[in-house]
Amino acid sequence: MDILAIETSCDETSAAIIRNGTEILSNIVSSSKDFHEKYGGIFPELAARKQLEFILPVVQAALNQANINYQDTDAIAVTVGPGLIGSLLIGVEAARTIAYVTGKPIIPVNHVLAHMYANFINNENNHFSSDPDLIGRFEKPDQESSRLRSNNIVFPAISLVVSGGHTELYLMESSKKIKWLGGTVDDAAGECFDKTARLIGFGNRGGLAIQEAADKINSSSLTVGNKLPRPMIYDKSLNFSFSGLKTAVVREVNKLKENQRLDDTTIAQLSHEVQEAITDVLVTKTINAAKTYNAKSILISGGVAANLRLRKKLNHHLITNHLQLALAIPQVNLCTDNAASIASYAYFRGQPVNWREIIAAPDLSVEV
Ligand code: KG4
Ligand code: ZN
């Protein structure tokens, strides 16, 4: 089954053709990120205008790369929410039109839930193989790892979805049965990365810029300010909170600015400490959830799952604590927004509806 998927929930315009929910025939992603630089964040009107410009060429490029035409596809999948209303409307209207004209079934997709299905996509770069530091856990083709590599995720699984707007934990009892366990009560981890990046002069480059700056430092030389808080790390619930950490970073940056000490070294130190604080919380909570629900595997996904420190820390924690849990992590370009995950979700969990019933839902709940 070949699904044509469309994703336009934020600043990306993406289209993909995915076979049987796992095989990428094409996955085109076009971003308007650079156009927002002077606005200090994503400017929704501009994102939608760029999506209107990109949508047809991006869909056509996905079809061309997969070497198929509209009639060869079996269904159309589209992100209906949560996200920016103007952006969602572009993808939804494009998908509705394609479904109407071709008579193909159309499947509405929840963007946040779809992130976790990046782990179901069959790609040899999934699950570590692109990163030598992360190979350790699966380097021998034992039974568990080969099952994971063929993307037969072992259930029950704990799934952490950590993106720009969401930090959520789910229990996956099967590829269809998902239960929400907890999420952030205020800011998302991605927001904390993004806000810090802006404060210290990295513009809209977000978590990736923080990761690159943090890489320049070795933790033993950390001298800047106080250790940042790890909010709710010892809290028994599976909820998160990152607004206190964000405020603590603002305070640190202001202090450094006042003392004229905001330079490359202190920026690297601060980036390192922010990354450590965020990843400590994410790793601790995810492992707590896995223990509580006797999970057999952990899945991470969403833009922040691209963070190399998070990937390594989680892997390291499982190994050093001898936890018999398989760990699945999508390759970096399947962590950030992409239509491939949308198609995979649609294949495993989607329900086709009449094209007339598809509507953009910016506030779509992620608590299933
Ligand atoms: O999933 P995503 O592409 O979009 C949303 O659905 O929000 O996630 C975007 C988030 C941003 O907060 C961005 O700063 C963060 O993912 N991100 C990273 C990294 N790459 C992207 N955060 C930390 N380290 C990275 N390498
Ligand atoms: Zn996303």
Side-chain angles (χ1 to χ4, degrees), residues 7 9-10 12 111-112 115 161 163-166 302-303 335-338:
E7 151 63 38
S9 64
C10 190
E12 270 89 16
H111 174 87
V112 173
H115 265 302
V161 184
S163 68
H166 290 271
C335 289
T336 47
D337 288 350
N338 67 87

Side-chain angles (χ1 to χ4, degrees), residues 320-336:
T320 52
N321 291 290
H322 307 289
L323 296 172
Q324 295 303 311
L325 280 156
L327 175 58
I329 307 179
Q331 70 175 78
V332 165
N333 72 328
L334 293 177
C335 289
T336 47

Side-chain angles (χ1 to χ4, degrees), residues 8 42 64 84 113 167 175 178 185 214 221 354 363 365:
T8 60
I42 304 295
N64 292 350
L84 303 170
L113 300 183
T167 307
S175 60
I178 303 174
V185 296
S221 65
N354 187 294
D363 299 322
S365 174

Side-chain angles (χ1 to χ4, degrees), residues 69-346:
N69 57 41
Y70 285 113
Q71 282 307 334
D72 295 333
T73 61
D74 297 293
I76 318 297
V78 62
T79 299
V80 293
L84 303 170
I85 180 65
S87 295
L88 289 168
L89 278 171
I90 307 295
V92 165
E93 288 310 313
R96 271 160 62 98
T97 309
I98 296 168
Y100 170 72
V101 172
T102 59
K104 304 285 176 190
I106 185 164
I107 302 168
V109 175
N110 183 316
H111 174 87
V112 173
L113 300 183
H115 265 302
M116 53 181 111
Y117 287 77
N119 283 298
F120 287 63
I121 291 169
N122 199 353
N123 188 314
E124 61 180 28
N125 287 333
N126 265 13
H127 320 302
F128 302 155
S129 58
S130 60
D131 186 342
D133 284 352
L134 292 179
I135 290 173
R137 200 166 162 73
F138 288 132
E139 63 194 346
K140 294 188 194 75
D142 59 28
Q143 205 196 355
E144 192 122 272
S145 69
S146 53
R147 274 200 287 162
L148 254 176
R149 280 183 192 284
S150 67
N151 303 305
N152 197 354
I153 304 282
V154 200
F155 299 105
I158 287 296
S159 172
L160 171 74
V161 184
V162 64
S163 68
H166 290 271
T167 307
E168 318 285 342
L169 273 169
Y170 296 90
L171 173 66
M172 273 189 120
E173 291 176 276
S174 70
S175 60
K176 279 195 171 55
K177 202 164 171 212
I178 303 174
K179 188 174 161 225
W180 181 82
L181 302 176
T184 182
V185 296
D186 42 53
D187 295 341
E191 258 168 275
C192 200
F193 271 121
D194 294 345
K195 175 83 180 181
T196 308
R198 244 173 256 133
L199 276 171
I200 59 184
F202 294 142
N204 285 349
R205 291 187 47 244
L208 179 59
I210 299 289
Q211 175 187 301
E212 286 168 357
D215 261 4
K216 295 187 187 132
I217 201 144
N218 111 29
S219 54
S220 57
S221 65
L222 195 70
T223 54
V224 72
N226 297 320
K227 197 168 155 37
L228 293 170
R230 270 79 173 149
M232 290 179 82
I233 197 164
Y234 298 117
D235 183 86
K236 285 211 163 51
S237 79
L238 293 173
N239 289 327
F240 301 84
S241 161
F242 289 101
S243 76
L245 175 57
K246 206 170 77 177
T247 311
V249 174
V250 174
R251 225 178 294 124
E252 281 303 318
V253 173
N254 287 343
K255 229 189 306 171
L256 289 168
K257 280 184 180 162
E258 268 165 35
N259 300 329
Q260 297 184 331
R261 283 188 58 226
L262 194 65
D263 54 28
D264 285 354
T265 308
T266 53
I267 283 175
Q269 287 168 338
L270 190 61
S271 299
H272 173 91
E273 179 55 17
V274 169
Q275 184 172 261
E276 289 309 306
I278 293 174
T279 52
D280 277 351
V281 175
L282 295 176
V283 167
T284 303
K285 290 276 176 173
T286 304
I287 288 182
N288 285 352
K291 286 180 178 163
T292 305
Y293 289 92
N294 288 322
K296 292 204 171 66
S297 52
I298 288 178
L299 278 58
I300 65 170
S301 60
V304 177
N307 185 270
L308 291 181
R309 181 68 179 133
L310 173 63
R311 296 157 87 98
K312 285 178 190 167
K313 198 180 267 189
L314 194 46
N315 187 47
H316 185 75
H317 201 101
L318 294 178
I319 292 170
T320 52
N321 291 290
H322 307 289
L323 296 172
Q324 295 303 311
L325 280 156
L327 175 58
I329 307 179
Q331 70 175 78
V332 165
N333 72 328
L334 293 177
C335 289
T336 47
D337 288 350
N338 67 87
S341 319
I342 306 302
S344 183
Y345 175 95

